[in-house]
Amino acid sequence: MKETYSRSKSVWQRMNARERKAAMAYGEKYKAFLDTARTERLAAAEIIRRAEEKGFKPVYIMKSLKAGDKVYWNQKDKSVILAVIGKEPVHEIVGSHIDSPRLDLKANPVHEQDGIVYFRTHYYGGIKKYQWTCIPLALIGVVFTKDGKKVDINIGLKDSDPVFYVSDLLIHMAQDQMKKTLAEGITGEQLQAVAGTHSEEGQTPKDAIMALLKKEYGIEEEDFAAAELELVPATKSRDVGFDRSLIASYGQDDRVCSYANLEAILDAKPGVKTQAALLTDKEEIGSYGNTGMESSYFVKFVMKLLALQGQGSLLDFYETMENSEMLSADVNSCLDPMFPEVSEKDNASFLGYGINLTKYGGSRGKSGSNDANAEFLQKVRKIFNDAGVCWQIGELGKVDQGGGGTIAFMMANWGVEVVDCGTSMLSMHAPCDLLSKADAYETYLAYKAFFESR
């Protein structure tokens, strides 16, 4: 590819036949990951499985580390860090997140009303609530019984499974509803998923559902209080368009970057400096909690690596962080021709034009933004240009119109050089969002080139 930065030619136009074939093949593997890794727990398990196949070992069993070792950190089955050890401490970091917007079951979810049994939910992350009605939903997560038994739940992804469903008001009776704003048309408390209606004589529908859960899974109503259960779209990822150039699927924010991150560190040539792929949880709700980036687990991981390499002082840790560089691997919006009024075209990214660099995010006056410096942007640009990676620059909407946050500023707080760098997409945070296979492939190439830059 002679042109790595272009606003006039798409990636497809800049690719040769071999590259197009590679991009399409990458898309198939990525779709398989999407259909497997529907939740943060499933994503973490799949990432660890793939890493162990490639020789990665848990860091907590290691007595020492040497160049070439491959280790991982499992943070409560919801976040994962992979590292390929170099002769020098951590330097190249690619940080993505594996949680996505969804509907979480409440602690007391089972509710019967007028013969229909529902699961009450509380939405997780930023969503348009009306989009989550009238689609098939899968129930995934874990429940603990009174005797402490852990029960894994995964219902709705197999073709033979039942699914769950949030109803909406039929158009024939929706005159008053249609006068409301989109935000008011469906309320949070109306996001209740149908769980069943069948019962026998002398039994209420709720009793029947609870009896079924007891028989099939050993679950009683109180056990929901010790559960993490999520409702996510049950439909599989699909190609879009006659040319199959796009992918529609649930959870591409941010699993497109997370999959590229995983594949990149598995495929990248080891460097002089340690490479780390961070795949974290809770980004969609501010990165709080002990599996989010606001917690200490990444710090502990780096300090553990340093200790196993004979550099365990606090000063060693701070110097390592301040000498490190990171791509904050998160998605961005792109110009939507159906809604051009929310974007400033000359500073928006385009679908199918390569991985997107976002100098700053945040909102309004760059509030909550990392705001990468010119020196680091120049370094990243050179890495991409030298490696033939197609890239572009884009903001998240017009000034005072859009905005959003990533984990970038949290790592920058430790002195790490960081820039947001991820895939552009349409319909972000919808139950089924849309992106280009070419952009997904360039995202992988970009992260691999970054890992191999030292």
Side-chain angles (χ1 to χ4, degrees), residues 9-49:
K9 291 182 180 180
S10 72
V11 176
W12 297 113
Q13 292 170 325
R14 287 176 270 169
M15 280 180 166
N16 59 35
R18 178 187 59 81
E19 291 164 333
R20 292 191 195 99
K21 184 177 180 180
M24 297 299 279
Y26 178 86
E28 293 306 303
K29 294 189 296 180
Y30 167 53
K31 287 192 298 179
F33 177 79
L34 285 171
D35 292 341
T36 299
R38 287 300 179 99
T39 69
E40 72 283 3
R41 284 180 179 268
L42 293 179
E46 178 65 10
I47 290 162
I48 291 171
R49 184 191 70 80

mmCIF file of all heavy atoms in Angstrom, residues 9-49:
data_model
loop_
_atom_site.group_PDB
_atom_site.id
_atom_site.type_symbol
_atom_site.label_atom_id
_atom_site.label_comp_id
_atom_site.label_asym_id
_atom_site.label_seq_id
_atom_site.Cartn_x
_atom_site.Cartn_y
_atom_site.Cartn_z
ATOM 1 N N LYS A 9 -9.357 7.900 -0.908
ATOM 2 C CA LYS A 9 -9.396 6.502 -1.311
ATOM 3 C C LYS A 9 -9.669 5.616 -0.090
ATOM 4 O O LYS A 9 -9.013 5.757 0.945
ATOM 5 C CB LYS A 9 -8.068 6.076 -1.945
ATOM 6 C CG LYS A 9 -7.775 6.706 -3.291
ATOM 7 C CD LYS A 9 -6.459 6.157 -3.839
ATOM 8 C CE LYS A 9 -6.124 6.774 -5.187
ATOM 9 N NZ LYS A 9 -4.847 6.239 -5.723
ATOM 10 N N SER A 10 -10.612 4.704 -0.217
ATOM 11 C CA SER A 10 -10.887 3.766 0.870
ATOM 12 C C SER A 10 -9.756 2.749 0.980
ATOM 13 O O SER A 10 -8.912 2.636 0.072
ATOM 14 C CB SER A 10 -12.209 3.036 0.635
ATOM 15 O OG SER A 10 -12.072 2.102 -0.417
ATOM 16 N N VAL A 11 -9.758 2.003 2.071
ATOM 17 C CA VAL A 11 -8.756 0.949 2.232
ATOM 18 C C VAL A 11 -8.874 -0.077 1.120
ATOM 19 O O VAL A 11 -7.865 -0.534 0.566
ATOM 20 C CB VAL A 11 -8.911 0.263 3.606
ATOM 21 C CG1 VAL A 11 -7.933 -0.908 3.727
ATOM 22 C CG2 VAL A 11 -8.659 1.250 4.740
ATOM 23 N N TRP A 12 -10.110 -0.423 0.755
ATOM 24 C CA TRP A 12 -10.298 -1.404 -0.317
ATOM 25 C C TRP A 12 -9.640 -0.930 -1.603
ATOM 26 O O TRP A 12 -9.046 -1.736 -2.340
ATOM 27 C CB TRP A 12 -11.793 -1.643 -0.571
ATOM 28 C CG TRP A 12 -12.532 -2.227 0.594
ATOM 29 C CD1 TRP A 12 -13.498 -1.619 1.333
ATOM 30 C CD2 TRP A 12 -12.387 -3.536 1.160
ATOM 31 N NE1 TRP A 12 -13.963 -2.453 2.328
ATOM 32 C CE2 TRP A 12 -13.302 -3.638 2.238
ATOM 33 C CE3 TRP A 12 -11.578 -4.632 0.848
ATOM 34 C CZ2 TRP A 12 -13.417 -4.788 3.009
ATOM 35 C CZ3 TRP A 12 -11.695 -5.778 1.614
ATOM 36 C CH2 TRP A 12 -12.604 -5.852 2.675
ATOM 37 N N GLN A 13 -9.723 0.356 -1.907
ATOM 38 C CA GLN A 13 -9.121 0.895 -3.126
ATOM 39 C C GLN A 13 -7.603 0.899 -3.061
ATOM 40 O O GLN A 13 -6.934 0.879 -4.097
ATOM 41 C CB GLN A 13 -9.635 2.313 -3.372
ATOM 42 C CG GLN A 13 -11.114 2.372 -3.726
ATOM 43 C CD GLN A 13 -11.657 3.794 -3.719
ATOM 44 O OE1 GLN A 13 -11.237 4.626 -2.909
ATOM 45 N NE2 GLN A 13 -12.592 4.076 -4.625
ATOM 46 N N ARG A 14 -7.068 0.920 -1.865
ATOM 47 C CA ARG A 14 -5.611 0.937 -1.694
ATOM 48 C C ARG A 14 -5.015 -0.457 -1.541
ATOM 49 O O ARG A 14 -3.801 -0.625 -1.579
ATOM 50 C CB ARG A 14 -5.240 1.791 -0.478
ATOM 51 C CG ARG A 14 -5.410 3.285 -0.690
ATOM 52 C CD ARG A 14 -5.113 4.066 0.576
ATOM 53 N NE ARG A 14 -6.295 4.254 1.408
ATOM 54 C CZ ARG A 14 -6.270 4.703 2.650
ATOM 55 N NH1 ARG A 14 -5.114 4.989 3.228
ATOM 56 N NH2 ARG A 14 -7.385 4.866 3.340
ATOM 57 N N MET A 15 -5.860 -1.466 -1.358
ATOM 58 C CA MET A 15 -5.379 -2.835 -1.172
ATOM 59 C C MET A 15 -5.137 -3.534 -2.498
ATOM 60 O O MET A 15 -5.832 -3.281 -3.488
ATOM 61 C CB MET A 15 -6.419 -3.656 -0.395
ATOM 62 C CG MET A 15 -6.425 -3.450 1.101
ATOM 63 S SD MET A 15 -7.722 -4.486 1.857
ATOM 64 C CE MET A 15 -7.254 -4.385 3.579
ATOM 65 N N ASN A 16 -4.168 -4.468 -2.494
ATOM 66 C CA ASN A 16 -4.034 -5.368 -3.633
ATOM 67 C C ASN A 16 -4.855 -6.625 -3.358
ATOM 68 O O ASN A 16 -5.477 -6.773 -2.305
ATOM 69 C CB ASN A 16 -2.559 -5.698 -3.907
ATOM 70 C CG ASN A 16 -1.866 -6.345 -2.710
ATOM 71 O OD1 ASN A 16 -2.478 -7.110 -1.962
ATOM 72 N ND2 ASN A 16 -0.586 -6.045 -2.529
ATOM 73 N N ALA A 17 -4.874 -7.548 -4.294
ATOM 74 C CA ALA A 17 -5.724 -8.736 -4.186
ATOM 75 C C ALA A 17 -5.359 -9.581 -2.976
ATOM 76 O O ALA A 17 -6.241 -10.114 -2.277
ATOM 77 C CB ALA A 17 -5.625 -9.568 -5.471
ATOM 78 N N ARG A 18 -4.081 -9.715 -2.684
ATOM 79 C CA ARG A 18 -3.655 -10.522 -1.533
ATOM 80 C C ARG A 18 -4.142 -9.909 -0.229
ATOM 81 O O ARG A 18 -4.608 -10.616 0.672
ATOM 82 C CB ARG A 18 -2.122 -10.623 -1.526
ATOM 83 C CG ARG A 18 -1.570 -11.413 -0.330
ATOM 84 C CD ARG A 18 -0.058 -11.339 -0.275
ATOM 85 N NE ARG A 18 0.402 -9.962 -0.164
ATOM 86 C CZ ARG A 18 0.430 -9.286 0.982
ATOM 87 N NH1 ARG A 18 -0.022 -9.827 2.110
ATOM 88 N NH2 ARG A 18 0.875 -8.045 1.005
ATOM 89 N N GLU A 19 -4.053 -8.592 -0.132
ATOM 90 C CA GLU A 19 -4.486 -7.906 1.086
ATOM 91 C C GLU A 19 -5.996 -7.992 1.275
ATOM 92 O O GLU A 19 -6.477 -8.166 2.395
ATOM 93 C CB GLU A 19 -4.022 -6.448 1.045
ATOM 94 C CG GLU A 19 -2.515 -6.309 1.173
ATOM 95 C CD GLU A 19 -2.023 -4.932 0.744
ATOM 96 O OE1 GLU A 19 -2.686 -4.288 -0.101
ATOM 97 O OE2 GLU A 19 -0.963 -4.514 1.242
ATOM 98 N N ARG A 20 -6.726 -7.883 0.182
ATOM 99 C CA ARG A 20 -8.188 -8.016 0.280
ATOM 100 C C ARG A 20 -8.568 -9.413 0.770
ATOM 101 O O ARG A 20 -9.459 -9.572 1.607
ATOM 102 C CB ARG A 20 -8.843 -7.739 -1.073
ATOM 103 C CG ARG A 20 -8.741 -6.298 -1.540
ATOM 104 C CD ARG A 20 -9.635 -6.040 -2.751
ATOM 105 N NE ARG A 20 -9.276 -4.786 -3.398
ATOM 106 C CZ ARG A 20 -8.512 -4.696 -4.487
ATOM 107 N NH1 ARG A 20 -8.053 -5.802 -5.062
ATOM 108 N NH2 ARG A 20 -8.217 -3.526 -5.006
ATOM 109 N N LYS A 21 -7.902 -10.411 0.262
ATOM 110 C CA LYS A 21 -8.173 -11.784 0.690
ATOM 111 C C LYS A 21 -7.852 -11.953 2.173
ATOM 112 O O LYS A 21 -8.612 -12.598 2.920
ATOM 113 C CB LYS A 21 -7.342 -12.763 -0.150
ATOM 114 C CG LYS A 21 -7.622 -14.224 0.159
ATOM 115 C CD LYS A 21 -6.810 -15.140 -0.755
ATOM 116 C CE LYS A 21 -7.093 -16.612 -0.431
ATOM 117 N NZ LYS A 21 -6.311 -17.517 -1.324
ATOM 118 N N ALA A 22 -6.754 -11.370 2.626
ATOM 119 C CA ALA A 22 -6.373 -11.461 4.033
ATOM 120 C C ALA A 22 -7.378 -10.752 4.929
ATOM 121 O O ALA A 22 -7.716 -11.232 6.010
ATOM 122 C CB ALA A 22 -4.975 -10.865 4.235
ATOM 123 N N ALA A 23 -7.879 -9.608 4.471
ATOM 124 C CA ALA A 23 -8.876 -8.869 5.252
ATOM 125 C C ALA A 23 -10.172 -9.658 5.392
ATOM 126 O O ALA A 23 -10.787 -9.687 6.474
ATOM 127 C CB ALA A 23 -9.149 -7.510 4.600
ATOM 128 N N MET A 24 -10.603 -10.310 4.313
ATOM 129 C CA MET A 24 -11.828 -11.100 4.360
ATOM 130 C C MET A 24 -11.650 -12.321 5.262
ATOM 131 O O MET A 24 -12.556 -12.691 6.018
ATOM 132 C CB MET A 24 -12.238 -11.526 2.956
ATOM 133 C CG MET A 24 -12.584 -10.372 2.024
ATOM 134 S SD MET A 24 -13.972 -9.359 2.601
ATOM 135 C CE MET A 24 -15.353 -10.370 2.070
ATOM 136 N N ALA A 25 -10.494 -12.946 5.200
ATOM 137 C CA ALA A 25 -10.224 -14.107 6.062
ATOM 138 C C ALA A 25 -10.173 -13.693 7.529
ATOM 139 O O ALA A 25 -10.697 -14.408 8.401
ATOM 140 C CB ALA A 25 -8.903 -14.764 5.641
ATOM 141 N N TYR A 26 -9.572 -12.549 7.793
ATOM 142 C CA TYR A 26 -9.532 -12.030 9.165
ATOM 143 C C TYR A 26 -10.958 -11.782 9.677
ATOM 144 O O TYR A 26 -11.279 -12.070 10.837
ATOM 145 C CB TYR A 26 -8.727 -10.732 9.208
ATOM 146 C CG TYR A 26 -8.665 -10.073 10.563
ATOM 147 C CD1 TYR A 26 -7.687 -10.447 11.476
ATOM 148 C CD2 TYR A 26 -9.577 -9.090 10.943
ATOM 149 C CE1 TYR A 26 -7.617 -9.854 12.735
ATOM 150 C CE2 TYR A 26 -9.527 -8.499 12.192
ATOM 151 C CZ TYR A 26 -8.544 -8.882 13.077
ATOM 152 O OH TYR A 26 -8.493 -8.300 14.327
ATOM 153 N N GLY A 27 -11.827 -11.271 8.809
ATOM 154 C CA GLY A 27 -13.207 -11.011 9.192
ATOM 155 C C GLY A 27 -13.931 -12.266 9.645
ATOM 156 O O GLY A 27 -14.747 -12.223 10.577
ATOM 157 N N GLU A 28 -13.657 -13.396 9.006
ATOM 158 C CA GLU A 28 -14.296 -14.654 9.409
ATOM 159 C C GLU A 28 -13.851 -15.072 10.807
ATOM 160 O O GLU A 28 -14.665 -15.523 11.627
ATOM 161 C CB GLU A 28 -13.985 -15.751 8.393
ATOM 162 C CG GLU A 28 -14.613 -15.523 7.022
ATOM 163 C CD GLU A 28 -16.116 -15.312 7.116
ATOM 164 O OE1 GLU A 28 -16.805 -16.200 7.657
ATOM 165 O OE2 GLU A 28 -16.589 -14.251 6.654
ATOM 166 N N LYS A 29 -12.569 -14.960 11.093
ATOM 167 C CA LYS A 29 -12.077 -15.310 12.431
ATOM 168 C C LYS A 29 -12.625 -14.353 13.485
ATOM 169 O O LYS A 29 -12.971 -14.763 14.602
ATOM 170 C CB LYS A 29 -10.546 -15.289 12.445
ATOM 171 C CG LYS A 29 -9.890 -16.347 11.581
ATOM 172 C CD LYS A 29 -8.391 -16.417 11.797
ATOM 173 C CE LYS A 29 -7.694 -15.138 11.383
ATOM 174 N NZ LYS A 29 -6.218 -15.202 11.595
ATOM 175 N N TYR A 30 -12.724 -13.105 13.123
ATOM 176 C CA TYR A 30 -13.260 -12.107 14.054
ATOM 177 C C TYR A 30 -14.724 -12.380 14.362
ATOM 178 O O TYR A 30 -15.157 -12.291 15.509
ATOM 179 C CB TYR A 30 -13.061 -10.710 13.452
ATOM 180 C CG TYR A 30 -13.828 -9.613 14.141
ATOM 181 C CD1 TYR A 30 -13.726 -9.412 15.512
ATOM 182 C CD2 TYR A 30 -14.652 -8.758 13.405
ATOM 183 C CE1 TYR A 30 -14.441 -8.393 16.137
ATOM 184 C CE2 TYR A 30 -15.360 -7.744 14.020
ATOM 185 C CZ TYR A 30 -15.248 -7.574 15.386
ATOM 186 O OH TYR A 30 -15.962 -6.572 16.009
ATOM 187 N N LYS A 31 -15.524 -12.746 13.363
ATOM 188 C CA LYS A 31 -16.933 -13.060 13.595
ATOM 189 C C LYS A 31 -17.075 -14.251 14.533
ATOM 190 O O LYS A 31 -17.974 -14.273 15.386
ATOM 191 C CB LYS A 31 -17.645 -13.333 12.269
ATOM 192 C CG LYS A 31 -17.899 -12.103 11.423
ATOM 193 C CD LYS A 31 -18.858 -12.385 10.280
ATOM 194 C CE LYS A 31 -18.330 -13.410 9.328
ATOM 195 N NZ LYS A 31 -19.254 -13.705 8.218
ATOM 196 N N ALA A 32 -16.214 -15.240 14.373
ATOM 197 C CA ALA A 32 -16.257 -16.400 15.268
ATOM 198 C C ALA A 32 -15.985 -15.982 16.704
ATOM 199 O O ALA A 32 -16.617 -16.485 17.650
ATOM 200 C CB ALA A 32 -15.243 -17.449 14.814
ATOM 201 N N PHE A 33 -15.061 -15.046 16.897
ATOM 202 C CA PHE A 33 -14.782 -14.524 18.238
ATOM 203 C C PHE A 33 -16.001 -13.783 18.790
ATOM 204 O O PHE A 33 -16.379 -13.969 19.954
ATOM 205 C CB PHE A 33 -13.574 -13.590 18.189
ATOM 206 C CG PHE A 33 -13.238 -12.936 19.505
ATOM 207 C CD1 PHE A 33 -12.557 -13.636 20.481
ATOM 208 C CD2 PHE A 33 -13.594 -11.616 19.760
ATOM 209 C CE1 PHE A 33 -12.243 -13.037 21.702
ATOM 210 C CE2 PHE A 33 -13.293 -11.009 20.958
ATOM 211 C CZ PHE A 33 -12.608 -11.730 21.936
ATOM 212 N N LEU A 34 -16.626 -12.957 17.967
ATOM 213 C CA LEU A 34 -17.804 -12.220 18.401
ATOM 214 C C LEU A 34 -18.917 -13.158 18.864
ATOM 215 O O LEU A 34 -19.593 -12.894 19.866
ATOM 216 C CB LEU A 34 -18.335 -11.347 17.262
ATOM 217 C CG LEU A 34 -17.560 -10.078 16.911
ATOM 218 C CD1 LEU A 34 -18.114 -9.474 15.629
ATOM 219 C CD2 LEU A 34 -17.630 -9.060 18.041
ATOM 220 N N ASP A 35 -19.115 -14.249 18.148
ATOM 221 C CA ASP A 35 -20.196 -15.163 18.474
ATOM 222 C C ASP A 35 -19.890 -16.011 19.704
ATOM 223 O O ASP A 35 -20.798 -16.554 20.332
ATOM 224 C CB ASP A 35 -20.488 -16.081 17.279
ATOM 225 C CG ASP A 35 -21.087 -15.316 16.107
ATOM 226 O OD1 ASP A 35 -21.609 -14.207 16.323
ATOM 227 O OD2 ASP A 35 -21.026 -15.828 14.968
ATOM 228 N N THR A 36 -18.614 -16.109 20.057
ATOM 229 C CA THR A 36 -18.208 -16.847 21.252
ATOM 230 C C THR A 36 -18.138 -15.933 22.474
ATOM 231 O O THR A 36 -18.623 -16.288 23.555
ATOM 232 C CB THR A 36 -16.826 -17.498 21.037
ATOM 233 O OG1 THR A 36 -16.910 -18.410 19.948
ATOM 234 C CG2 THR A 36 -16.361 -18.234 22.289
ATOM 235 N N ALA A 37 -17.568 -14.760 22.308
ATOM 236 C CA ALA A 37 -17.262 -13.858 23.424
ATOM 237 C C ALA A 37 -18.373 -12.835 23.626
ATOM 238 O O ALA A 37 -18.156 -11.628 23.510
ATOM 239 C CB ALA A 37 -15.924 -13.168 23.169
ATOM 240 N N ARG A 38 -19.576 -13.289 23.966
ATOM 241 C CA ARG A 38 -20.740 -12.403 24.055
ATOM 242 C C ARG A 38 -20.752 -11.553 25.322
ATOM 243 O O ARG A 38 -21.463 -10.552 25.391
ATOM 244 C CB ARG A 38 -22.026 -13.217 23.989
ATOM 245 C CG ARG A 38 -22.328 -13.775 22.604
ATOM 246 C CD ARG A 38 -22.475 -12.646 21.596
ATOM 247 N NE ARG A 38 -22.751 -13.147 20.266
ATOM 248 C CZ ARG A 38 -23.957 -13.201 19.723
ATOM 249 N NH1 ARG A 38 -25.005 -12.795 20.415
ATOM 250 N NH2 ARG A 38 -24.121 -13.659 18.509
ATOM 251 N N THR A 39 -20.044 -11.955 26.350
ATOM 252 C CA THR A 39 -19.967 -11.188 27.596
ATOM 253 C C THR A 39 -18.512 -11.052 28.000
ATOM 254 O O THR A 39 -17.631 -11.712 27.437
ATOM 255 C CB THR A 39 -20.746 -11.885 28.731
ATOM 256 O OG1 THR A 39 -20.056 -13.101 29.090
ATOM 257 C CG2 THR A 39 -22.178 -12.198 28.313
ATOM 258 N N GLU A 40 -18.247 -10.227 28.996
ATOM 259 C CA GLU A 40 -16.865 -10.041 29.436
ATOM 260 C C GLU A 40 -16.282 -11.335 30.005
ATOM 261 O O GLU A 40 -15.094 -11.627 29.838
ATOM 262 C CB GLU A 40 -16.750 -8.884 30.432
ATOM 263 C CG GLU A 40 -17.306 -9.123 31.817
ATOM 264 C CD GLU A 40 -18.815 -9.044 31.888
ATOM 265 O OE1 GLU A 40 -19.485 -8.860 30.855
ATOM 266 O OE2 GLU A 40 -19.344 -9.162 33.012
ATOM 267 N N ARG A 41 -17.111 -12.146 30.678
ATOM 268 C CA ARG A 41 -16.621 -13.424 31.206
ATOM 269 C C ARG A 41 -16.283 -14.389 30.072
ATOM 270 O O ARG A 41 -15.245 -15.059 30.108
ATOM 271 C CB ARG A 41 -17.665 -14.054 32.134
ATOM 272 C CG ARG A 41 -17.753 -13.413 33.513
ATOM 273 C CD ARG A 41 -18.813 -14.106 34.355
ATOM 274 N NE ARG A 41 -18.925 -13.534 35.689
ATOM 275 C CZ ARG A 41 -18.267 -13.970 36.757
ATOM 276 N NH1 ARG A 41 -17.440 -14.994 36.646
ATOM 277 N NH2 ARG A 41 -18.440 -13.392 37.939
ATOM 278 N N LEU A 42 -17.162 -14.477 29.091
ATOM 279 C CA LEU A 42 -16.894 -15.361 27.959
ATOM 280 C C LEU A 42 -15.696 -14.875 27.155
ATOM 281 O O LEU A 42 -14.897 -15.685 26.660
ATOM 282 C CB LEU A 42 -18.127 -15.456 27.064
ATOM 283 C CG LEU A 42 -19.357 -16.147 27.669
ATOM 284 C CD1 LEU A 42 -20.507 -16.147 26.668
ATOM 285 C CD2 LEU A 42 -19.041 -17.563 28.120
ATOM 286 N N ALA A 43 -15.558 -13.555 27.019
ATOM 287 C CA ALA A 43 -14.406 -13.009 26.296
ATOM 288 C C ALA A 43 -13.106 -13.323 27.032
ATOM 289 O O ALA A 43 -12.117 -13.748 26.414
ATOM 290 C CB ALA A 43 -14.568 -11.497 26.129
ATOM 291 N N ALA A 44 -13.094 -13.128 28.344
ATOM 292 C CA ALA A 44 -11.889 -13.415 29.123
ATOM 293 C C ALA A 44 -11.505 -14.886 29.015
ATOM 294 O O ALA A 44 -10.324 -15.225 28.846
ATOM 295 C CB ALA A 44 -12.113 -13.021 30.582
ATOM 296 N N ALA A 45 -12.494 -15.767 29.088
ATOM 297 C CA ALA A 45 -12.210 -17.198 28.989
ATOM 298 C C ALA A 45 -11.639 -17.563 27.623
ATOM 299 O O ALA A 45 -10.692 -18.358 27.520
ATOM 300 C CB ALA A 45 -13.491 -17.998 29.257
ATOM 301 N N GLU A 46 -12.195 -16.974 26.560
ATOM 302 C CA GLU A 46 -11.700 -17.261 25.213
ATOM 303 C C GLU A 46 -10.297 -16.702 25.011
ATOM 304 O O GLU A 46 -9.440 -17.352 24.378
ATOM 305 C CB GLU A 46 -12.656 -16.683 24.171
ATOM 306 C CG GLU A 46 -12.232 -16.865 22.724
ATOM 307 C CD GLU A 46 -12.186 -18.315 22.268
ATOM 308 O OE1 GLU A 46 -12.657 -19.207 23.010
ATOM 309 O OE2 GLU A 46 -11.671 -18.557 21.159
ATOM 310 N N ILE A 47 -10.034 -15.522 25.537
ATOM 311 C CA ILE A 47 -8.703 -14.915 25.424
ATOM 312 C C ILE A 47 -7.667 -15.777 26.130
ATOM 313 O O ILE A 47 -6.582 -16.042 25.592
ATOM 314 C CB ILE A 47 -8.720 -13.485 25.995
ATOM 315 C CG1 ILE A 47 -9.525 -12.568 25.058
ATOM 316 C CG2 ILE A 47 -7.307 -12.956 26.191
ATOM 317 C CD1 ILE A 47 -9.964 -11.272 25.711
ATOM 318 N N ILE A 48 -7.985 -16.236 27.332
ATOM 319 C CA ILE A 48 -7.048 -17.072 28.082
ATOM 320 C C ILE A 48 -6.836 -18.410 27.373
ATOM 321 O O ILE A 48 -5.712 -18.926 27.290
ATOM 322 C CB ILE A 48 -7.547 -17.277 29.523
ATOM 323 C CG1 ILE A 48 -7.449 -15.955 30.290
ATOM 324 C CG2 ILE A 48 -6.753 -18.375 30.235
ATOM 325 C CD1 ILE A 48 -8.111 -15.980 31.660
ATOM 326 N N ARG A 49 -7.902 -18.983 26.839
ATOM 327 C CA ARG A 49 -7.777 -20.247 26.105
ATOM 328 C C ARG A 49 -6.823 -20.092 24.925
ATOM 329 O O ARG A 49 -5.914 -20.919 24.728
ATOM 330 C CB ARG A 49 -9.150 -20.708 25.611
ATOM 331 C CG ARG A 49 -9.126 -22.071 24.914
ATOM 332 C CD ARG A 49 -10.435 -22.358 24.206
ATOM 333 N NE ARG A 49 -10.635 -21.520 23.036
ATOM 334 C CZ ARG A 49 -10.079 -21.732 21.855
ATOM 335 N NH1 ARG A 49 -9.253 -22.762 21.684
ATOM 336 N NH2 ARG A 49 -10.317 -20.928 20.830
#
